[in-house]
Amino acid sequence: MWSDERHHFLRRSAAAAALDCETMKLGWLWGALLTVLFCACAAGTSSDDPGPGPGGCAAGQQRCDGVCVEPASNAAHCGACGNACASGQVCSLGSCGSDCFAGTTPCDGACVDPSSSASHCGACGNACPSGQVCSGGACGSACEVGQSNCGGSCVDLQQDPGNCGSCGNICGVGEFCSLGQCSAQCGGGTTNCGNTCVDTSGDPAHCGACNTPCSGSQVCSLGQCGLQCLGGTTLCSSSGGSGKCVDLTVDPTNCGSCGNACGSGEVCSAGQCGVQCVGGTTNCGNKCVDTQVDPSNCGSCGAACPGGEACVNGACTLVCGGGLTKCGSSCVNLQTDLANCGSCGNGCPSGQSCISGSCQLVCSGGTTNCGGSCVATSVDPNHCGTCNNVCSAGLSCVSGSCTLVCGTGLTKCGNVCVDTQTNASHCGGCSATCPSGQVCQAGACTLVCPTGQTKCGNVCANTQTSTSHCGGCNIACSSGQTCQSGSCVTTCSPTTNIALGATAFSSGGGEASFGRGPDKMNDGHLEATCSSNGFHWVNAGTSPGTAYIEFRWSSNVTVKRFTIDTTLSSSNACGANNGRSLAGGTVQYWNGSSYVNVGSVSGNTNDWSYTLTSAVQTTRLRLYGIYSPSTPNPVIFEWLVFSC
């Protein structure tokens, strides 16, 4: 806890001198003369007094043991002569403590401000030569505009609590120095930043908010950093100083011109020093302001505008600088802003960036623009190495090349990846085939039926599909029958369209609300009735991409072949433009955990069919990477699927 002595050490010295004077006035005549002499000494009027402070020392100093010291920071005489701080403590503002107040730095046990201390200018131990002062952390011949020389240190008498209004005038406990007067709170539109009252509308070290400094050659104007002063303010700076944007009509330290400071008790009004405000201005905290334009007192005293706003006709409004443009209630850069690219309200589509005021697709992270999509050609199996280079079924894209890569626990046997711990054709090693009816467990052939199968004699059978054990062991189906769901049924009809029992999906395109949804692909109506029953179209280009159509069944079905009923490329059936045939794509089925490629089709301009090499049991059938010959968005009137 800091002692209150830091604010009263100069007052105690003055009180002691006054007490000596009263005592001597009770003596003899020569004693009275001595009293006059001592009173003159206490008042600091001796003709041989070398300085303005107590004991002939500079302002803010006191003579202790014959040496002039600064009780505000001297650890051996902290607050008063002989009051030494304990080991490990520092002296800050006349009181011993464990650390320094904000804005000060410990140097040789003393808390100093390196931006203004003549003994520690810019860094500890860097003393300025005789006759120079410390301003902005650099030694020079004069202080910056708005600062005063107090004992070789350049300070702002308007906000320095140790030199408030005049050199050596220290504010009391809990007080701030605001506009050159000690007060319990910051006034006149100033803000408490580290126990110092600053004007955040023009202070380059606290621009818009505390501890928000401007960089390089920028100035602070209306609470924002920029290259020039805004709102009719003027840049006032001295050689080597950063300068501040001030209003010469009301600034008491720069009244009418930079560096022209008003006297004690005076205010600056209309660019002239006087005892009262004139010209329609208002006295707000001993400062004449025009409440019609002052951002710290906009409309009335103390009504400060937020950072970046100016006061116009007594109301706060947004003012944009530094190449920014006002769009609504924000200042934006039309060259880079995604929501206001090139002009206010012009938003870029998803996935695009705003570059030089224009929306553009920019692929990042090593990706490549392939048909309007950013893809990684090093790993994408549909764009392996280059756009549209599709890897064959079973191959992966590795470093831009289609390659057979076996995952952890798998072994490459020929052109396939197998688990030699469970694969009956490669049990324990490649080509080590288990006898019929046996399975591979832990790399050894064993007659153990997997989940969903039943041991019937020396074989494992799926009693839901096995024609020899349909519904149970040794229940054989008749010739021409198949086993479905444990029951023998007549052999499948090649004309039965199993797509009618599926649910249709697509990657996007025609919508059901307009009679163009995916359900039109399996509603049982071919092209001949499209004028009354409609069709489905898919959002796809004229080359393979990521578009697809898909059927899903609630349980496994057998898929052997399918037919696509599409439009003739040279016609415009039912309003579909020429060139919108479904030209082809990659045929895939779901194996329970992933899609498996079984082949591909391309170059079609009318209806076409595809037959799988072997029928598959699946719950999903997909045609991936579909496209049209010449006009985007291929049309599908009906997609028919058959089990045989």
Side-chain angles (χ1 to χ4, degrees):
M1 181 66 67
W2 294 98
S3 170
D4 291 345
E5 290 180 348
R6 62 182 179 184
H7 302 290
H8 302 293
F9 67 91
L10 291 178
R11 296 189 177 94
R12 288 201 298 266
S13 298
L19 180 61
D20 290 342
C21 290
E22 291 299 322
T23 303
M24 287 186 288
K25 288 177 182 178
L26 299 177
W28 302 95
L29 178 59
W30 58 269
L33 292 176
L34 290 176
T35 300
V36 173
L37 178 59
F38 275 83
C39 289
C41 292
T45 58
S46 173
S47 60
D48 59 354
D49 188 358
C57 297
Q61 295 186 342
Q62 185 177 355
R63 186 175 296 278
C64 294
D65 298 331
V67 178
C68 291
V69 299
E70 295 182 1
S73 61
N74 191 288
H77 306 281
C78 190
C81 290
N83 184 34
C85 294
S87 176
Q89 289 187 327
V90 293
C91 182
S92 184
L93 295 182
S95 182
C96 298
S98 59
D99 50 31
C100 297
F101 286 129
T104 61
T105 301
C107 291
D108 299 332
C111 293
V112 300
D113 183 354
S115 67
S116 62
S117 174
S119 299
H120 306 279
C121 190
C124 291
N126 185 35
C128 292
S130 177
Q132 290 191 355
V133 294
C134 181
S135 179
C139 296
S141 58
C143 296
E144 292 184 15
V145 173
Q147 294 189 338
S148 300
N149 183 352
C150 288
S153 298
C154 292
V155 299
D156 187 348
L157 299 180
Q158 296 294 302
Q159 62 184 34
D160 192 322
N163 301 275
C164 190
S166 61
C167 293
N169 183 34
I170 302 176
C171 293
V173 177
E175 290 184 329
F176 301 102
C177 182
S178 179
L179 301 178
Q181 293 186 347
C182 294
S183 174
Q185 59 185 3
C186 295
T190 59
T191 302
N192 178 10
C193 292
N195 295 324
T196 300
C197 295
V198 298
D199 182 0
T200 57
S201 68
D203 194 308
H206 306 278
C207 192
C210 293
N211 301 317
T212 306
C214 294
S215 61
S217 59
Q218 289 185 325
V219 295
C220 180
S221 183
L222 302 181
Q224 61 182 6
C225 297
L227 299 178
Q228 59 185 4
C229 295
L230 304 176
T233 57
T234 302
L235 178 63
C236 286
S237 62
S238 61
S239 177
S242 58
K244 293 183 180 180
C245 293
V246 300
D247 186 349
L248 298 178
T249 63
V250 296
D251 193 311
T253 59
N254 301 278
C255 189
S257 61
C258 293
N260 184 36
C262 294
S264 177
E266 290 185 329
V267 294
C268 181
S269 180
Q272 294 185 345
C273 296
V275 295
Q276 61 183 2
C277 298
V278 297
T281 58
T282 302
N283 188 341
C284 291
N286 292 327
K287 183 178 181 181
C288 293
V289 300
D290 185 350
T291 57
Q292 295 297 297
V293 297
D294 192 307
S296 298
N297 304 275
C298 191
S300 61
C301 291
C305 292
E309 293 190 5
C311 183
V312 179
N313 296 326
C316 296
T317 185
L318 186 66
V319 175
C320 298
L324 302 182
T325 301
K326 180 181 178 183
C327 287
S329 59
S330 302
C331 291
V332 300
N333 187 340
L334 298 180
Q335 299 299 298
T336 59
D337 193 283
L338 285 174
N340 303 275
C341 189
S343 61
C344 291
N346 183 37
C348 291
S350 176
Q352 293 191 2
S353 300
C354 184
I355 301 175
S356 299
S358 176
C359 294
Q360 302 178 27
L361 177 64
V362 178
C363 295
S364 60
T367 58
T368 302
N369 183 352
C370 288
S373 299
C374 293
V375 299
T377 56
S378 61
V379 295
D380 194 307
N382 295 303
H383 306 278
C384 191
T386 60
C387 292
N388 302 319
N389 182 34
V390 182
C391 291
S392 301
L395 298 183
S396 300
C397 185
V398 180
S399 299
S401 178
C402 294
T403 309
L404 178 64
V405 177
C406 297
T408 303
L410 300 181
T411 302
K412 182 179 179 182
C413 291
N415 292 322
V416 295
C417 295
V418 299
D419 185 352
T420 57
Q421 297 296 298
T422 59
N423 192 288
S425 298
H426 307 277
C427 190
C430 292
S431 301
T433 306
C434 291
S436 177
Q438 293 189 3
V439 295
C440 184
Q441 287 189 338
C445 295
T446 308
L447 184 60
V448 176
C449 295
T451 302
Q453 294 190 9
T454 303
K455 182 179 180 182
C456 292
N458 293 323
V459 297
C460 294
N462 185 338
T463 58
Q464 298 295 301
T465 59
S466 174
T467 56
S468 299
H469 308 278
C470 189
C473 291
N474 301 316
I475 301 176
C477 293
S478 302
S479 176
Q481 289 186 324
T482 60
C483 183
Q484 295 183 6
S485 301
S487 298
C488 294
V489 297
T490 302
T491 303
C492 86
S493 171
T495 60
T496 300
N497 179 14
I498 63 174
L500 297 176
T503 302
F505 298 86
S506 74
S507 56
E511 298 179 359
S513 59
F514 295 99
R516 297 288 187 267
D519 60 317
K520 291 298 178 180
M521 296 189 297
N522 63 336
D523 62 355
H525 298 288
L526 301 177
E527 179 180 357
T529 61
C530 66
S531 59
S532 58
N533 293 295
F535 55 84
H536 180 57
W537 62 269
V538 180
N539 186 6
T542 58
S543 61
T546 58
Y548 67 87
I549 55 176
E550 180 177 349
F551 281 152
R552 295 184 184 180
W553 291 269
S554 59
S555 60
N556 272 343
V557 296
T558 301
V559 176
K560 176 61 177 177
R561 61 186 178 89
F562 63 84
T563 297
I564 296 293
D565 184 6
T566 184
T567 181
L568 179 62
S569 181
S570 59
S571 72
N572 57 353
C574 295
N577 296 335
N578 292 348
R580 293 180 64 183
S581 305
L582 199 165
T586 301
V587 181
Q588 301 176 328
Y589 75 93
W590 182 255
N591 68 359
S593 61
S594 63
Y595 285 101
V596 179
N597 294 341
V598 295
S600 61
V601 182
S602 63
N604 291 295
T605 59
N606 200 356
D607 301 343
W608 55 274
S609 298
Y610 182 85
T611 301
L612 282 70
T613 303
S614 300
V616 297
Q617 290 282 319
T618 185
T619 59
R620 300 181 189 179
L621 180 65
R622 183 167 78 169
L623 192 55
Y624 183 82
I626 64 175
Y627 65 98
S628 54
S630 58
T631 303
N633 305 334
V635 169
I636 304 98
F637 295 112
E638 196 73 2
W639 184 12
L640 301 91
V641 184
F642 304 95
S643 297
C644 54

